[in-house]
Amino acid sequence: MVDWEGPLSEAYDRALTYLEALPERRVGPRATAAELHEALGGPLPTAPTDPREVVEHLAKGVDDGLLPSGSGRFFGFVFGGATPASLAADWLTTVWDQNAGLYAASPAAAVVEDVTARWLVELFGLPGGTSVGFVTGAQMANFTALAAARHEVLRRAGWDVERQGLSGSPRIRVLAGAERHDTIDRALRFLGLGTDCIEPIPVDDQGRMRADALAEALRESGRGAVPTIVCAQAGNVNTGAFDPVAEVCEIAHAHGAWVHVDGAFGIWARVSSGLRQLVDGVELADSWATDAHKWLNVPYDSGLVFCAHPEPHRAAMSIRAAYLIQDENGERDSLDYNPEFSRRARGIPVYAAIRALGREGIAEIVDRCHAMAERFAEHLRKADVEVLNDVVLNQVLVRFDDDVTTRRVVTEVQNEGTCWMSGTTWQGKAAMRISVSNWTTGPEDIDRSAEAVLRCLQQIRG
């Protein structure tokens, strides 16, 4: 008999202990790399070890090196946490161990993802018939969408990139804001287009693409003269600002360009009645990328790609092989929509999160995080700390006196442990970036964290 109970019960007990202690846990790792190597390393094991002992050893070894990003006082990067339903569903996804590449390999996983895809399209108000891929994160969502865009703009120019490759193909222009996220550049590298194809469009003081500058850049080439992709941004990674997506789509489509929206976290504003105006017109785009492991607060890794034109989406991603059993009745084969072949059924935790929260619950998380970001900014403004951005969503960008002081405050806050936020450089100046995107964050978390930041600042100033 296989002992499942031993290792699983050990894992359950340790998981529950970790989760219950999370609200008061120090927000930061407590061990150095050397200490972690000492706890986890050693020679290659030669003999078997009891699975329960393995789980116990692993849990003890990593504990002090964990960054508690699920804490309500974790504001670094734009990380979410994991809601109870999505976490439990993620455990079951691992237990069921389904290969979600084909309907034949897991009808249940395929149907769950098909249902979830339709819910997501409705949730974001995207065009009916939009295709959806479940990928690892926004990096691969951007990659997948831009692969579909590459296929389509070259097809219109009479070139089949999937068959003919890029050698000898027409040149592709990619117009993107100067403050775009680096995953756009990386995706273009992966796609063989290279970053030289990017023509940066000037932005305003909040990082928003200037529609007039885009129009001028497109006028230079004329309609359809060069295959063109325009990348807009819904939620600047530093300021949270939104490109004027409706204007971008109108201008770009008038010149025959494909519009892709990188909405890694910002597109979730679409769910909020009070914030949805930030993304007015987003439904006019041709493709979109976002993360479920940000504001939907499902466990990593969970990205989403949407394409208003399923044909180029499938053309860029699908594969056919004699040994594959691909459904002939229209059921979902997910490998038609994402770059992976074999993969876990990552749509299941997304399904659970949406069913547990509903539209209203998701909107409440977005609205509360926005309110908490404003609360954080207000605490700092009252202490004469410079807030660099308009707090339109969940990002607060602050600066303390000068570059040296700002970087020291970021380091001291991280070391102090009440909360954790990251540093950045904004328009040539050092800044602290505060990202509020956890489903548990409340007023007490904000007040404690703001006090800690100001305490560290006071110590540095002497």
Side-chain angles (χ1 to χ4, degrees):
M1 295 292 291
V2 175
D3 177 20
W4 295 110
E5 183 178 356
L8 288 177
S9 60
E10 182 73 26
Y12 173 79
D13 290 343
R14 291 189 175 276
L16 203 58
T17 298
Y18 176 81
L19 292 169
E20 289 178 342
L22 201 53
E24 295 305 321
R25 184 179 174 121
R26 181 185 187 279
V27 187
R30 299 174 296 201
T32 65
E35 290 169 336
L36 291 170
H37 278 290
E38 178 67 24
L40 296 163
L44 173 70
T46 56
T49 303
D50 178 78
R52 184 166 194 157
E53 291 181 21
V54 171
V55 174
E56 180 184 17
H57 172 81
L58 174 65
K60 286 181 177 178
V62 305
D63 190 61
D64 284 345
L66 296 174
L67 182 61
S69 54
S71 167
R73 296 189 308 283
F74 183 87
F75 307 110
F77 314 110
V78 188
F79 288 0
T83 60
S86 67
L87 177 58
D90 196 64
W91 281 11
L92 286 175
T93 300
T94 300
V95 170
W96 294 330
D97 195 24
Q98 300 290 283
N99 185 334
L102 291 168
Y103 175 84
S106 180
V111 170
V112 165
E113 291 194 354
D114 191 36
V115 170
T116 307
R118 287 190 281 106
W119 285 352
L120 288 162
V121 168
E122 181 180 351
L123 189 68
F124 293 135
L126 302 181
T130 292
S131 53
V132 184
F134 294 81
V135 295
T136 54
Q139 173 67 80
M140 294 313 294
N142 281 324
F143 167 84
T144 303
L146 290 172
R150 180 187 66 173
H151 170 89
E152 181 60 16
V153 298
L154 287 178
R155 183 198 66 79
R156 295 172 189 171
W159 189 270
D160 185 344
V161 68
E162 268 61 57
R163 183 174 59 84
Q164 296 173 278
L166 286 172
S167 180
S169 72
R171 179 177 70 90
I172 294 177
R173 302 173 74 197
V174 178
L175 307 182
E179 289 290 343
R180 65 193 175 277
H181 196 275
D182 290 336
T183 51
I184 295 295
D185 300 51
R186 195 170 185 227
L188 294 170
R189 285 165 42 207
F190 290 168
L191 289 165
L193 297 175
T195 54
D196 280 354
C197 74
I198 301 173
E199 299 178 30
I201 304 299
V203 298
D204 67 12
D205 64 348
Q206 294 294 305
R208 293 178 288 249
M209 182 193 295
R210 284 176 38 206
D212 63 326
L214 174 65
E216 182 179 352
L218 286 168
R219 275 196 301 270
E220 292 175 0
S221 60
R223 176 179 171 82
V226 179
T228 302
I229 301 168
V230 175
C231 294
Q233 185 169 230
N236 181 282
V237 74
N238 284 306
T239 67
F242 289 72
D243 288 348
V245 180
E247 289 182 79
V248 167
C249 289
E250 181 181 359
I251 294 165
H253 288 157
H255 288 81
W258 175 291
V259 179
H260 170 64
V261 176
D262 176 10
F265 61 94
I267 201 172
W268 292 94
R270 186 84 166 166
V271 185
S272 164
S273 59
L275 298 169
R276 63 180 295 118
Q277 76 279 358
L278 294 169
V279 275
D280 279 349
V282 74
E283 72 280 0
L284 302 174
D286 299 289
S287 60
W288 307 264
T290 192
D291 279 319
H293 55 230
K294 287 188 169 70
W295 249 341
L296 191 58
N297 280 253
V298 305
Y300 278 86
D301 51 19
S302 186
L304 303 164
V305 58
F306 303 86
C307 189
H309 316 288
E311 295 80 8
H313 190 172
R314 286 194 297 266
M317 292 292 120
S318 64
I319 184 172
R320 293 293 180 266
Y323 75 95
L324 295 177
I325 304 172
Q326 290 175 290
D327 189 74
E328 301 297 331
N329 299 314
E331 297 297 341
R332 178 188 177 86
D333 287 323
S334 74
L335 53 70
D336 286 338
Y337 304 103
N338 61 269
E340 297 159 315
F341 205 113
S342 298
R343 67 170 180 85
R344 76 196 306 266
R346 64 172 62 93
I348 292 175
V350 181
Y351 173 94
I354 295 174
R355 182 167 282 283
L357 292 167
R359 183 192 295 271
E360 293 178 358
I362 299 169
E364 191 278 330
I365 293 174
V366 173
D367 288 336
R368 174 160 40 85
C369 287
H370 173 231
M372 293 303 99
E374 289 186 317
R375 186 185 185 99
F376 212 135
E378 186 59 27
H379 274 303
L380 298 180
R381 285 195 194 98
K382 286 180 179 178
D384 293 325
V385 172
E386 183 182 12
V387 178
L388 299 173
N389 68 316
D390 300 328
V391 184
V392 297
L393 196 60
N394 67 319
Q395 300 293 95
V396 185
L397 197 63
V398 298
R399 180 172 168 82
F400 307 93
D401 303 337
D402 52 38
D403 285 359
V404 173
T405 302
T406 298
R407 293 189 180 107
R408 286 186 63 191
V409 173
V410 170
T411 300
E412 287 303 312
V413 168
Q414 291 175 352
N415 291 337
E416 194 265 354
T418 297
C419 55
W420 202 99
M421 42 281 269
S422 55
T424 188
T425 300
W426 170 247
Q427 297 183 346
K429 297 179 179 180
M432 172 186 279
R433 188 172 67 119
I434 302 167
S435 304
V436 188
S437 47
N438 187 284
W439 68 285
T440 66
T441 300
E444 182 183 353
D445 295 308
I446 298 301
D447 297 346
R448 285 180 60 183
S449 298
E451 289 170 5
V453 171
L454 296 173
R455 187 165 59 246
C456 290
L457 174 63
Q458 185 176 18
Q459 292 171 354
I460 289 169
R461 285 174 172 172

